[in-house]
Amino acid sequence: DSGVTQTPKHLITATGQRVTLRCSPRSGDLSVYWYQQSLDQGLQFLIQYYNGEERAKGNILERFSAQQFPDLHSELNLSSLELGDSALYFCASSVVAGSVQFFGPGTRLTVL
Amino acid sequence: AQSVAQPEDQVNVAEGNPLTVKCTYSVSGNPYLFWYVQYPNRGLQFLLKYITGDNLVKGSYGFEAEFNKSQTSFHLKKPSALVSDSALYFCAVRDMQAGGYQKVTFGTGTKLQVIP
């Protein structure tokens, strides 16, 4: 158990819908990262937050947004969902930016 | 810009044989390098890291990695492979960005298949 929790574990929804994925980092970790993993795209970095502030953006679509709250948990919002958004979404946390990341178990999103 | 390459999509090795999973990197400064492992339907787990010092780094589950500055490589190794080592392995590199931000870049992953 990495100490990072993600909810829900599985999510099935329809195209055009909006979903919210939630992540609670390890106690004491200030940095939160979001990744998307699909079969054909590998592990794609989406976005990183540090102590509530956005620090880096990767290949994140405009339909996606995220935030980190004062209690350090983070949410990833995916809207206008498309079939191609079906993937595993991982959250990771680290004490500071660039240190060892601890990954959550992931949320498997299926868009039908 | 920093980058990391894992040239092999898949590596097959017989159980009991030594294994190597390759990684090369490109950074502007001193590299901080990591290896992670992902078992099926699980998140990535940290295996080991190189920051400075001894070029041979020992990590979890009997894995080790050899840092080679001249070849800009950080290959993951294990003397004797187990079937349970079958998983997806990711190399990652950390580098300093403008403004003092530390960015980590992951490789594309290498699937290790250990054959009984």
Side-chain angles (χ1 to χ4, degrees), chain B:
Chain B
Q2 68 190 61
S3 67
V4 59
Q6 294 182 244
E8 301 154 318
D9 289 337
Q10 181 159 336
V11 170
N12 297 321
V13 63
E15 186 177 24
N17 281 3
L19 70 87
T20 299
V21 182
K22 295 179 180 177
C23 172
T24 59
Y25 66 89
S26 173
V27 296
S28 56
N30 292 322
Y32 283 26
L33 297 154
F34 306 85
W35 274 103
Y36 289 80
V37 60
Q38 184 182 26
Y39 298 102
N41 301 312
R42 303 287 295 275
L44 279 69
Q45 296 176 38
F46 168 73
L47 270 182
L48 50 81
K49 67 180 177 183
Y50 171 83
I51 296 177
T52 187
D54 196 348
N55 289 344
L56 187 64
V57 180
K58 294 193 183 296
S60 307
Y61 312 120
F63 283 93
E64 57 191 25
E66 187 173 10
F67 172 70
N68 188 316
K69 188 172 183 177
S70 62
Q71 296 185 5
T72 61
S73 66
F74 189 56
H75 300 333
L76 182 70
K77 300 183 178 186
K78 188 173 183 181
S80 178
L82 300 172
V83 173
S84 57
D85 293 331
S86 298
L88 191 56
Y89 291 81
F90 290 90
C91 180
V93 63
R94 186 185 95 177
D95 196 11
M96 183 78 77
Q97 305 295 297
Y101 165 65
Q102 306 273 14
K103 181 182 178 183
V104 175
T105 301
F106 281 83
T108 51
T110 298
K111 182 178 180 181
L112 174 66
Q113 190 77 34
V114 180
I115 303 161

Side-chain angles (χ1 to χ4, degrees), chain A residues 2-88:
Chain A
S2 67
V4 178
T5 60
Q6 289 187 249
T7 56
K9 280 189 176 180
H10 303 278
L11 200 48
I12 301 174
T13 188
T15 55
Q17 296 298 304
R18 172 190 170 94
V19 297
T20 297
L21 313 183
R22 183 187 167 102
C23 168
S24 292
R26 286 190 328 154
S27 177
D29 285 358
L30 299 178
S31 276
V32 169
Y33 313 76
W34 285 99
Y35 295 88
Q36 179 193 57
Q37 186 177 39
S38 56
L39 282 174
D40 58 346
Q41 295 267 333
L43 189 70
Q44 298 288 321
F45 167 68
L46 295 178
I47 197 165
Q48 182 206 349
Y49 284 83
Y50 178 78
N51 203 19
E53 293 186 6
E54 182 184 306
R55 293 303 299 267
K57 264 186 175 179
N59 301 323
I60 188 166
L61 300 171
E62 286 191 10
R63 299 183 286 108
F64 297 0
S65 65
Q67 53 184 325
Q68 186 180 28
F69 294 88
D71 66 353
L72 300 179
H73 91 271
S74 179
E75 293 180 356
L76 179 66
N77 300 297
L78 316 176
S79 62
S80 302
L81 285 168
E82 302 175 359
L83 295 177
D85 297 327
S86 295
L88 265 171

